Amino acid sequence: MQNPNTEKEFRQAVAVCRALFASKLKDYGTSWRILRPASLTDQLYIKAARARTLQTCGKALVDEDQTDCFIAIVNYALVGLIQTELGAAMTADLSNDVALSHYDRHAEESLQLMLRKNHDYGEAWREMRVSSFTDIILQKIFRTKQIEDHDGHTQVSEGVAANYQDMLNYAVFALIKLGVAKAS
């Protein structure tokens, strides 16, 4: 049975991610437009690997915790979806408002995908550990790298965009479990 708070919690977690994304747009504009999908996949790897290191050793020498890592994974996955759709540019060619419009649309599409899958899987993610989300995200990253190494061609598997959506959704689940979103 689907928890009635799941959609609300998802939206709350994404709102936290979006607020940071919007603030960074004010600082940097859409400089990320130059990143090719493989570079974004590597950025996702850096953040997921950092989360795993923090979970394993429990000690950080830089002021960033695993919550920050999962927020970054959500934002990089959404940038990846935008870049997969638009392609990389040689300049920051989007206004902040247009970038946020793309961000919101892809976040909503990912939410709808999560709700469909969540219905079929019966909220199983609620019984999972945050460390498992990290491992699954890392697995999705390695799958994405394989697809990218094959020029985006797959025989039976979903493509890069589907993997970005899954990474985003698992990162949101982690944020919910870490208390970023509250059911009420």
Side-chain angles (χ1 to χ4, degrees), residues 102-174:
H102 284 289
Y103 183 104
D104 292 340
R105 181 173 47 79
H106 285 290
E108 183 64 28
E109 289 170 2
S110 296
L111 166 64
Q112 295 308 316
L113 173 66
M114 181 278 296
L115 290 172
R116 290 189 305 274
K117 286 184 174 185
N118 197 40
H119 173 272
D120 292 352
Y121 286 92
E123 299 267 333
W125 67 270
R126 290 195 183 270
E127 303 303 319
M128 294 174 64
R129 297 172 184 95
V130 172
S131 59
S132 294
F133 298 138
T134 304
D135 292 349
I136 292 168
I137 291 167
L138 283 164
Q139 177 192 38
K140 298 279 181 187
I141 290 166
F142 288 122
R143 286 180 179 182
T144 301
K145 286 181 172 209
Q146 280 294 121
I147 295 168
E148 290 167 347
D149 290 347
H150 296 170
D151 296 322
H153 301 292
T154 60
Q155 292 186 14
V156 295
S157 304
E158 296 174 314
V160 170
N163 280 286
Y164 283 150
Q165 282 185 311
D166 286 347
M167 289 178 227
L168 183 162
N169 286 336
Y170 281 112
V172 169
F173 290 159

Side-chain angles (χ1 to χ4, degrees), residues 10-21:
F10 185 101
R11 289 185 187 282
Q12 289 173 339
V14 170
V16 169
C17 300
R18 187 187 191 277
L20 180 61
F21 185 81

Side-chain angles (χ1 to χ4, degrees), residues 47-121:
K47 294 302 179 178
R50 175 152 174 75
R52 186 169 171 154
T53 299
L54 291 170
Q55 293 162 357
T56 303
C57 75
K59 178 181 172 185
L61 298 180
V62 176
D63 188 24
E64 181 183 58
D65 63 15
Q66 65 177 323
T67 298
D68 297 320
C69 294
F70 288 115
I71 290 170
I73 290 167
V74 169
N75 286 339
Y76 279 124
L78 284 162
V79 167
L81 288 166
I82 295 167
Q83 294 296 80
T84 299
E85 177 186 12
L86 301 180
M90 288 303 292
T91 62
D93 63 346
L94 296 180
S95 71
N96 292 356
D97 288 340
V98 170
L100 286 169
S101 173
H102 284 289
Y103 183 104
D104 292 340
R105 181 173 47 79
H106 285 290
E108 183 64 28
E109 289 170 2
S110 296
L111 166 64
Q112 295 308 316
L113 173 66
M114 181 278 296
L115 290 172
R116 290 189 305 274
K117 286 184 174 185
N118 197 40
H119 173 272
D120 292 352
Y121 286 92

